[in-house]
Amino acid sequence: MSNAYDLTQNAPPPGVAPFFGRVRLRTLIVLRWLAVAGQGFTLLFVSLLLGFELPLIMCGIVVAASAFLNIVLVITRDIQRLTSHHEAFVQLAFDVLQLSLLLVLTGGLQNPFVVMIVAPVTIGVAALPPRYALGIGSLALLGMIAMASFALPLPWVDGETLQLPLLYEAGLGIAFVIAVAFTAAYAWRIGQEARRMGAALAATQAILSREQKLSAVGSLAAAAAHELGTPLATIQLTAKEIARDAKDEALKEDAELLVSQSKRCRDILQRLSAQREARDKVHDRIGLRDALDEVCAPVRGLGVSITLRTDGEGSEPMLSRLPEILYGLGNLVENAVEFARDKVVIEGEWTHDTVRVIINDNGQGIAPEILGRIGEPYISLRNGQVGGGLGLGTFIAITMIERLGGGARFANGGELGGALVQIEWPRNRVEAGSEADYEDV
């Protein structure tokens, strides 16, 4: 089965993932303006309303530095574009250093706003490659050391000094390190998952888009046949008149040739129109067993015996020929053939309400540590065997099955003892319409 991408690879398809995780410059600027507003309001509130003494001029210069950077960026850069990883790293590093310096001037680790330094670290870990994210985290830890070593006293009520026990300050430092590390790990995990899922969904959408374009070729051919019929009729009529009135024998032969060839073209266009009608009624409808036989065709002859069985209540359902059905089943059948020792059994079942397909192979089955993760893109391990059968292809298959309201369950066992996949759809979501429905199209 030919796919636009190699669906069994463990890396995102080329050209799909480069922009996932990139940060827009406008986002960084807006976040920095929020930080400037919050820092400025807090400094004025503590100094003017609470009456605490603090180095207001120095703190104001530090806050103004962030505002100045934003103004420069707005004037000199296109703020709507995506930043490079290096540029985002430099800006986030500035934010960490600016906030660390502000905290050094206002009490260091004793300042309750010390937790705010986690924000740029989280953004950096979620959006940047590991080496840059590690740099942001290291700057935050260096800032913590500077706070513990060089921080000015925490602003407090006039005539009083807040003196926290050394052990408590050490606990604050440890808690800060743990908070940064935990938040960074959590953000990194979520960011990685989002990038992988985004790339996989993009690949799925690309495949569906390609299939929809291919299915539209028949409609385009029918439209072309209809539109070309009129000018061909005109050509044929004109050629007949020329042949009738021509006195030169050579001219008459050429005109008769034009008449015969235009008639031939009209016959071809009529056949195209008829084939389009036949496609509407026949090609777009396929029996369940025929659909299973079609998805098995590309993997027959690979040294694995494939047995098909179908049974159910009432007449066999006629399915719509949809890429969600054929690609979804095809990828799962390919996985079964890849990991089977020598045999795969595929069963099609139906009731009045559901259509079910069960795929069972006699391989080693799905490793327990992978069984609970099936459906995630870019995993590809089955009982120590490295391959693509449980990677992006399975994610795409599950996504396509679920688009039609269905679901897929994975287990080990069944008749052959290997991997067991059960796919089930509501019958009304996958069954084709009646002949009357197609005649109205």
Side-chain angles (χ1 to χ4, degrees), residues 225-259:
H226 177 74
E227 295 296 330
L228 291 174
T230 300
L232 276 175
T234 303
I235 293 172
Q236 187 178 30
L237 180 60
T238 304
K240 284 181 179 179
E241 292 180 353
I242 293 174
R244 184 187 60 203
D245 299 335
K247 297 191 173 20
D248 185 10
E249 194 64 29
L251 179 61
K252 186 175 183 179
E253 289 180 2
D254 290 342
E256 289 175 349
L257 180 62
L258 280 175
V259 171

Side-chain angles (χ1 to χ4, degrees), residues 275-308:
Q275 288 171 2
R276 172 60 185 164
E277 180 65 18
R279 181 184 182 276
D280 285 342
K281 294 181 178 179
V282 178
H283 186 269
D284 286 354
R285 296 161 55 86
I286 186 170
L288 177 59
R289 184 178 183 89
D290 291 335
L292 295 177
D293 192 62
E294 183 172 319
V295 299
C296 291
V299 292
R300 291 190 186 276
L302 299 181
V304 175
S305 169
I306 302 177
T307 302
L308 294 181

